[in-house]
Structures are given as structure tokens and as C-alpha cells.
Amino acid sequence: MRTFLHMLCIVVLFFSCKTPEARRPVNIKSGSFINESINRNKKLAAKEEARIQDIISKDTLNNYITSESGFWYYYTKKDTISTLTPKFGDIVNFNYDIKDLNGNVIYSQQELDTITYYIDKEELFLGLREGLKLMKEGETATFLFPSYQAYGYYGDNNKIGTNIPLITEVTLNKITEESTIEN
């Protein structure tokens, strides 16, 4: 009887020792939510870009530049002599306003006051961070930001809602290079 139990245990152990296999999914919809989200965002970006391109095509007074980051801008006041643009860690002092694509003021320059900002060391929406790096001291530029370059899906939890493209006029008052900043 004892040998029978030993043999039974050995047989059971022998057949139970196989490599584990992954369970097959019941539904095969891998990445469907992500794919839907990607498609929705592509459509939104295309719609916003078309609207911005319409504004640009109707504005015959200004010469728009397309940035490498995916927004458009033109200079109201341009410095053709200086070569200094802000770099990482530099301090910039600037004024700006924010409008929607219809030109309605969301935040005025008086509301926002003068901003002092350490380039890439503090919070500022993506498009404006990149736009400031294109400017020289004393220049004024107007930027057209698609929502993904502005406040995106979340808005600013105040006056700017979800997925709102923006027009922002910025005046860069002063650049203080990082090497001249006292610690």
C-alpha cells in the first residue's frame, strides 16, 4: 500500500510539473481605449489647426512664422540687431495677455501683471515657455497656440476651459542671463 501511494505521488508530481501558460484574454481589444483617444486627439488638433490657418490666411497685415514646436507667431516689434535670446536658467521679465481665437480677452495684461520667470525652471504653459525662447529683449510677438500647446484638456481651472486654443501677445521686457545672477 505504501509503495502504491509513493508511486501515485510521483505520477501526480510528474504530470503537474509543466511550465505555466498565460491565460488567453476573453476579449481581444488590446489598446482600444488608447487608439480611440489618439484618434480623438488627432481630429481635435486638425480642427484647431484648420481654424488657426483660417485666421492666418485672413490676416494679410502680419507675416506669420511656424515654430518647430507647433504654434504660429508674428512680431509686432522686432529687434534685428541683438542676438541674445533667453536660455535655460535665465530670468525673463515679460507682460502678456490671453485671448480666445475670436479675439475675446480672457486675461488682460493688467490682470496678469508683469511676470518674472526662470526659463524652464518654473511652471508656465508649454507654448509660452517655448515662445519666450524665440524672443529678444524689447520685442513684442503674438502667438497662436493650439490647445495642446496651451492649457490642454484640463484648462486653467479658472477662465480657460477644456481644449481652448489661445492667442497671446507677449512683450519681453528684460533678459537676465544666468551667469550674471547672484546666488
Side-chain angles (χ1 to χ4, degrees):
M1 180 76 169
R2 210 174 209 190
T3 39
F4 176 72
L5 286 174
H6 282 17
M7 289 299 249
L8 183 62
C9 286
I10 291 172
V11 169
V12 168
L13 285 174
F14 180 75
F15 285 107
S16 66
C17 293
K18 67 178 192 174
T19 58
E21 291 182 23
R23 190 173 61 109
R24 295 261 180 235
V26 177
N27 293 343
I28 302 175
K29 291 173 74 175
S30 178
S32 62
F33 174 76
I34 293 172
N35 291 336
E36 289 172 20
S37 180
I38 289 169
N39 289 333
R40 186 175 46 248
N41 287 333
K42 283 181 180 178
K43 288 177 187 172
L44 176 66
K47 182 179 170 187
E48 289 178 4
E49 185 172 331
R51 193 157 170 230
I52 290 171
Q53 289 299 333
D54 185 51
I55 291 169
I56 291 171
S57 67
K58 290 178 181 174
D59 184 359
T60 57
L61 299 176
N62 297 299
N63 183 24
Y64 286 84
I65 303 164
T66 303
S67 77
E68 292 178 12
S69 301
F71 57 84
W72 298 262
Y73 63 103
Y74 65 87
Y75 291 98
T76 307
K77 183 178 175 189
K78 181 150 179 67
D79 181 348
T80 56
I81 299 168
S82 176
T83 58
L84 178 66
T85 57
K87 309 276 184 281
F88 177 84
D90 291 349
I91 298 174
V92 293
N93 176 288
F94 67 97
N95 294 86
Y96 73 115
D97 64 11
I98 298 177
K99 300 174 190 164
D100 63 19
L101 291 186
N102 295 324
N104 300 316
V105 175
I106 299 172
Y107 291 107
S108 68
Q109 283 190 10
Q110 291 75 23
E111 253 180 296
L112 296 172
D113 206 10
T114 300
I115 306 293
T116 300
Y117 169 69
Y118 285 80
I119 296 290
D120 292 335
K121 289 187 172 184
E122 296 178 308
E123 288 293 317
L124 195 62
F125 70 87
L126 177 63
L128 189 52
R129 272 197 326 249
E130 295 303 314
L132 285 166
K133 293 180 208 173
L134 300 171
M135 297 179 71
K136 299 172 194 160
E137 196 170 286
E139 290 185 330
T140 300
T142 300
F143 297 93
L144 283 75
F145 297 117
S147 65
Y148 64 86
Q149 287 282 328
Y151 287 93
Y153 179 75
Y154 295 104
D156 75 340
N157 295 321
N158 196 9
K159 292 183 179 183
I160 300 172
T162 299
N163 297 324
I164 303 293
L166 301 174
I167 298 174
T168 304
E169 184 179 54
V170 180
T171 300
L172 182 55
N173 303 317
K174 184 164 178 51
I175 301 172
T176 306
E177 292 183 84
E178 183 180 36
S179 60
T180 63
I181 300 169
E182 292 183 23
N183 290 326

